[in-house]
Amino acid sequence: MLAAWRNWRDRRRVKKMGFTASQWESAVADWPVMSRYQGAERKALMALTFRFLARKSMVPGGGFAITDAMCLRVATMACVPILKLGIDWYNGWYTVILYEEAFIPNRAHRTADGVVHARGPLLAGEAWQNGPVILSWDAVCKSGGASNVVIHEMSHKLDMRYQGANGAPPLHQGMSPQQWHDTFSQAFSDLQEDYRRHRHMPVDAYALTGPGEFFAVCSEAFFESPDQLFHDWPDLYLLLARFYRQGERTP
């Protein structure tokens, strides 16, 4: 009953917003990832994007003027990870705050040396447990290679659905938590060794910040540079493919 009511409400809100297919296509036309979504998948992604905007408020930070095209682009990037999972995976939070550039959180920040500072460092994105996702539009525009701040923060939201952002999101039936732990732990250890020895690194060194960031950075790479991730870490790639229910390949 509740699901039917939510679907009815979503359809009503989408109709009221009045977004068109041509508006959506224009907003995402230059994002290379879109080339992988064609036909029925592309239509499903557009519909999911409209539903995302029906459920979430996109609000400006610092007086930044937000356009419909910006909202459509951010929402599409946010919906790519849940295309096969469904909009309900983003339940429990309601707001995306979009700043023009990097922002400074207005809260105390403890650095690695134990010193507490009145305010934190500049950030391109942030996801709060049961709270908003905060993004820099400048960082959104720089998505590419293996980087995507929207996918990064949205993967945190998926991770937070089970015991916080610890790199262990709720897995589907038939997926082994032990296999997930072992595969990600081995890749994390390998990345530490690559960093120490100044070797090629499959993903950005920021992934070494912790398990939650490692999952988020690997998720960015899974969608933005899947061929490279599969080449470097095929076992990890295949686990992400099973989790996101996209991009299945033969080892």
Side-chain angles (χ1 to χ4, degrees):
M1 180 68 73
L2 182 59
W5 177 81
R6 283 177 174 169
N7 291 337
W8 172 83
R9 181 194 61 185
D10 289 350
R11 289 194 298 270
R12 184 178 180 184
R13 288 179 176 176
V14 167
K15 184 177 180 180
K16 187 175 181 179
M17 288 187 302
F19 290 126
T20 66
S22 61
Q23 279 181 292
W24 179 72
E25 289 286 357
S26 177
V28 300
D30 61 344
W31 185 32
V33 172
M34 288 301 300
S35 65
R36 298 202 300 271
Y37 298 95
Q38 301 297 330
E41 272 196 335
R42 195 176 186 91
K43 291 180 180 178
L45 181 56
M46 180 179 68
L48 190 62
T49 298
F50 292 168
R51 289 188 72 186
F52 179 92
L53 291 171
R55 292 195 180 189
K56 312 297 182 189
S57 297
M58 194 88 64
V59 299
F64 182 43
I66 300 176
T67 67
D68 286 348
M70 292 177 187
C71 293
L72 288 167
R73 188 178 186 87
V74 170
T76 303
M77 290 179 171
C79 286
V80 160
I82 60 163
L83 178 59
K84 305 296 184 177
L85 303 179
I87 191 69
D88 289 345
W89 276 70
Y90 285 158
N91 281 352
W93 60 279
Y94 307 97
T95 309
V96 176
I97 302 172
L98 192 60
Y99 283 87
E100 183 174 8
E101 298 178 323
F103 54 91
I104 301 176
N106 187 23
R107 64 173 183 276
H109 171 72
R110 183 188 297 273
T111 50
D113 57 7
V115 177
V116 177
H117 303 268
R119 304 183 75 180
L122 277 170
L123 297 177
E126 187 173 45
W128 293 11
Q129 183 85 40
N130 301 319
V133 170
I134 310 172
L135 300 166
S136 154
W137 175 247
D138 180 62
V140 173
C141 293
K142 292 177 180 176
S143 297
S147 173
N148 188 301
V149 67
V150 182
I151 291 175
H152 183 104
E153 301 306 332
M154 294 301 166
S155 68
H156 280 321
K157 280 297 189 182
L158 299 177
D159 194 4
M160 288 173 181
R161 289 180 61 85
Y162 181 68
Q163 298 182 346
N166 59 2
L171 301 179
H172 309 301
Q173 186 174 4
M175 294 187 69
S176 166
Q178 189 63 53
Q179 182 188 18
W180 182 278
H181 174 271
D182 292 348
T183 301
F184 274 79
S185 295
Q186 184 60 58
F188 189 88
S189 178
D190 291 345
L191 190 66
Q192 288 179 313
E193 188 68 8
D194 291 338
Y195 181 79
R196 188 175 72 83
R197 293 180 177 274
H198 305 285
R199 298 188 303 222
H200 162 74
M201 300 176 68
V203 296
D204 189 87
Y206 185 68
L208 293 173
T209 305
E213 297 300 344
F214 187 77
F215 169 67
V217 171
C218 288
S219 293
E220 291 180 77
F222 177 79
F223 289 104
E224 285 283 356
S225 56
D227 293 340
Q228 188 63 51
L229 186 66
F230 182 71
H231 176 269
D232 291 329
W233 285 337
D235 291 342
L236 185 145
Y237 175 96
L238 292 173
L239 279 182
L240 286 174
R242 290 187 66 191
F243 174 71
Y244 287 113
R245 293 175 169 166
Q246 302 183 49
E248 291 284 357
R249 302 186 183 198
T250 301

